[in-house]
Amino acid sequence: MFLSVLDIFKVGIGPSSSHTMGPMIAAARFLEMMRTSEQKFSGLKTSLHGSLAFTGIGHATDRAITLGFAGLTPETYNTHEADHLIKKINKTKSVSPNGFKQLKFDPTNDLIFDYETQLTGHANGMVMMATDVTDRVVLRQVFYSIGGGFVIMEEDLNIQKFSDDYHKIPFPFKSATEMLNMSQQLGKSIAEMKHSNEMVYHCTSELENGIARIWNVMRNSIERGLNTAGKLPGSLKVKRRACDIYTSLLAEQGKNHTAPHTINDWISVYAMAVNEENAAGGQIVTAPTNGAAGVIPAVLNYYLKHVPGATSERIEEFLLTAAAIGGLIKFNASISGAEAGCQAEVGSASAMAAAGLCAILDGTPEQVENAAEIALEHHMGMTCDPVQGLVQVPCIERNGLGAIKAVSAASISLRGDGTHLVPLDSCIETMRQTGLDMSYKYKETSLGGLAVNIPNC
């Protein structure tokens, strides 16, 4: 098993890694399949299934696929260009990606939200089709957006999770137990082992520059969110609050009567700032998903701005440690809200952030594992029930609380010696089982929970 830090943390766009980024990436892959085919194509069609159908409009899935068919990717996304393209496509009922003069595509009729048909591979399924001049489907591919911007084709579902790359890396671990045993035997930290594994696939400068870019985008998303007022897009008309809270906190700085618990407000506002940017469709980092994008930046920003002796030299250690934990959760359970509820998104992010913070506060590998377990355990059973399918309520505040839990989990673990009753592996497996048992109503479909119990929504 190997999941690079540069894969689990990806620069992308809001509001959702699984519902926005994933479908856009799938559209790009389908176009590439068409380019390598000997068939002649005239048009495109798509059907969305499961969570992609139920919450696709609120998550801008239709827009993402349309722009993906037009040739845009999350890495090349430009808001002004995207808005212009959407208007052009709606007018011409066609797209013209590189390699094709023109392909018929009417988003109103050729992009179907199928609420009845559930594909078997994953809750986030989509069927992409290319047609000939007679409108006959001549190429068809099922894609699954499995969370965090990761996309797989139907035929790849049964490929072993722990593939050949597991044997290429110097420190292969499939579980937290293996990770800790290896650390103890070799006298290496989790970040050191993760770094050595990364060196198999990336040179030093590539890794350093990649991590620096990740943090730069995270930091910029915090700053934009803290300094942008107004309302978020969508029918809920949710007011941005991070700017007002930040202004209030700045005004209180230096006053002797400020309560100690105000530090929680700082942690929360950093996370909320990122998730307001995500909800607005801005550039953020999947960490490990868009819906949970605020937790890790908030905790790292808290460390840099509020912890005595903090240094930016430990950012890489934080992110490498967090990525190691995120990889264990992804491969042994899930980071997808549509698959396992919000425990898999904010819960995973909180566990990753807790581990990263514990590591750069000089925690032992055992304390780091304990910190991750505490944070994940106390998100267990959390549902994903976005109101009107928008990644706003309860998602934005939930990131703030996830960040606070991460800091508390790291602090609690550092007060002990790493010995604890519930292993991280058991917690991850429990999360997986809980996700399987959870009703689909509570897994990013907006068919239950807050999504159906808020008046006038």
Side-chain angles (χ1 to χ4, degrees):
M1 181 197 82
F2 177 76
L3 181 63
S4 173
V5 63
L6 304 183
D7 288 326
I8 201 161
F9 298 119
K10 293 189 289 292
V11 176
I13 55 169
S16 173
S17 50
S18 59
H19 289 57
T20 313
M21 287 176 60
M24 187 180 287
I25 291 167
R29 291 188 184 175
F30 190 64
L31 288 176
E32 192 57 36
M33 291 175 63
M34 293 169 64
R35 293 187 185 101
T36 58
S37 172
E38 295 181 358
Q39 288 277 0
K40 298 295 183 182
F41 303 106
S42 179
L44 292 161
K45 297 178 184 291
T46 297
S47 60
L48 303 176
H49 304 264
S51 178
L52 290 183
F54 286 113
T55 63
I57 293 176
H59 287 64
T61 306
D62 48 349
R63 177 182 169 94
I65 289 178
T66 300
L67 293 171
F69 280 157
L72 268 64
T73 66
E75 294 80 13
T76 62
Y77 183 85
N78 175 279
T79 301
H80 178 74
E81 180 188 4
D83 291 343
H84 173 73
L85 271 173
I86 289 292
K87 291 178 182 178
K88 181 180 178 181
I89 293 166
N90 286 331
K91 182 178 180 180
T92 65
K93 314 298 184 188
S94 66
V95 292
S96 302
N98 288 339
F100 301 94
K101 186 175 181 180
Q102 191 176 62
L103 296 167
K104 290 185 297 183
F105 181 70
D106 179 0
T108 302
N109 298 314
D110 295 327
L111 202 159
I112 307 301
F113 290 84
D114 188 338
Y115 303 105
E116 304 298 327
T117 308
Q118 176 71 49
L119 303 183
T120 58
H122 190 277
N124 290 331
M126 65 199 108
V127 182
M128 295 190 173
M129 296 160 279
T131 59
D132 62 14
V133 292
T134 67
D135 207 34
R136 180 173 61 95
V137 174
V138 291
L139 183 65
R140 180 184 184 274
Q141 181 62 55
V142 176
F143 291 96
Y144 292 105
S145 182
I146 60 174
F150 293 94
V151 175
I152 59 173
M153 295 188 293
E154 185 175 43
E155 52 267 36
D156 294 333
L157 280 172
N158 296 321
I159 294 177
Q160 276 193 316
K161 290 181 177 180
F162 307 111
S163 55
D164 291 341
D165 60 7
Y166 178 74
H167 303 289
K168 296 178 183 177
I169 56 179
F171 303 108
F173 48 84
K174 300 190 293 288
S175 67
T177 299
E178 289 184 3
M179 178 183 72
L180 289 180
N181 288 340
M182 203 172 292
S183 173
Q184 292 169 353
Q185 292 168 8
L186 301 172
K188 290 184 175 292
S189 70
I190 295 168
E192 287 172 335
M193 294 190 296
K194 180 65 175 167
H195 186 276
S196 295
N197 290 345
E198 294 284 346
M199 288 295 95
V200 175
Y201 298 91
H202 307 289
C203 67
T204 300
S205 61
E206 183 182 10
L207 182 63
E208 289 179 352
N209 291 338
I211 289 176
R213 183 176 185 234
I214 287 167
W215 172 240
N216 188 54
V217 174
M218 286 181 171
R219 181 180 57 202
N220 287 343
S221 65
I222 293 173
E223 291 302 316
R224 288 196 311 273
L226 292 177
N227 292 285
T228 304
K231 291 183 179 180
L232 295 171
S235 55
L236 293 178
K237 308 297 181 184
V238 171
K239 179 186 175 183
R240 283 180 177 254
R241 289 182 292 160
C243 183
D244 286 347
I245 295 172
Y246 180 57
T247 301
S248 175
L249 287 168
L250 288 176
E252 292 175 6
Q253 279 187 325
K255 293 183 178 180
N256 293 329
H257 66 271
T258 301
H261 64 251
T262 300
I263 191 61
N264 287 332
D265 300 339
W266 282 101
I267 298 168
S268 289
V269 80
Y270 296 146
M272 292 171 65
V274 175
N275 283 85
E276 287 179 355
E277 280 296 293
N278 177 61
Q283 186 183 61
I284 48 85
V285 173
T286 60
T289 66
N290 285 28
V295 176
I296 288 170
V299 173
L300 187 46
N301 206 51
Y302 156 75
Y303 163 77
L304 291 169
K305 292 186 177 295
H306 300 275
V307 175
T311 170
S312 60
E313 294 177 358
R314 304 198 76 166
I315 291 172
E316 181 174 297
E317 181 183 359
F318 179 103
L319 291 174
L320 286 171
T321 304
I325 300 302
L328 292 176
I329 297 172
K330 175 174 169 51
F331 281 98
N332 291 301
S334 177
I335 58 170
S336 167
E339 189 173 29
C342 200
Q343 59 174 356
E345 294 207 31
V346 171
S348 296
S350 187
M352 294 164 65
L357 181 61
C358 185
I360 60 176
L361 293 178
D362 298 322
T364 65
E366 291 76 19
Q367 289 171 321
V368 169
E369 184 261 1
N370 186 197
E373 185 278 325
I374 293 170
L376 184 60
E377 178 182 332
H378 297 291
H379 284 86
M380 202 65 66
M382 182 173 281
T383 59
C384 182
D385 49 355
V387 177
Q388 291 194 6
L390 299 169
V391 192
Q392 298 177 13
V393 179
C395 320
I396 294 170
E397 284 183 355
R398 187 167 285 176
N399 274 257
L401 273 294
I404 290 172
K405 285 186 182 181
V407 173
S408 295
S411 183
I412 291 171
S413 69
L414 287 166
R415 297 289 181 181
D417 61 2
T419 303
H420 57 107
L421 184 63
V422 181
L424 177 58
D425 290 330
S426 297
C427 193
I428 293 173
E429 173 57 18
T430 301
M431 191 259 274
R432 186 190 71 83
Q433 293 175 5
T434 303
L436 290 174
D437 291 339
M438 190 180 291
S439 167
Y440 76 96
K441 293 192 300 182
Y442 302 109
K443 294 193 283 189
E444 210 167 353
T445 60
S446 292
L447 296 175
L450 286 175
V452 299
N453 285 297
I454 295 182
N456 303 318
C457 288

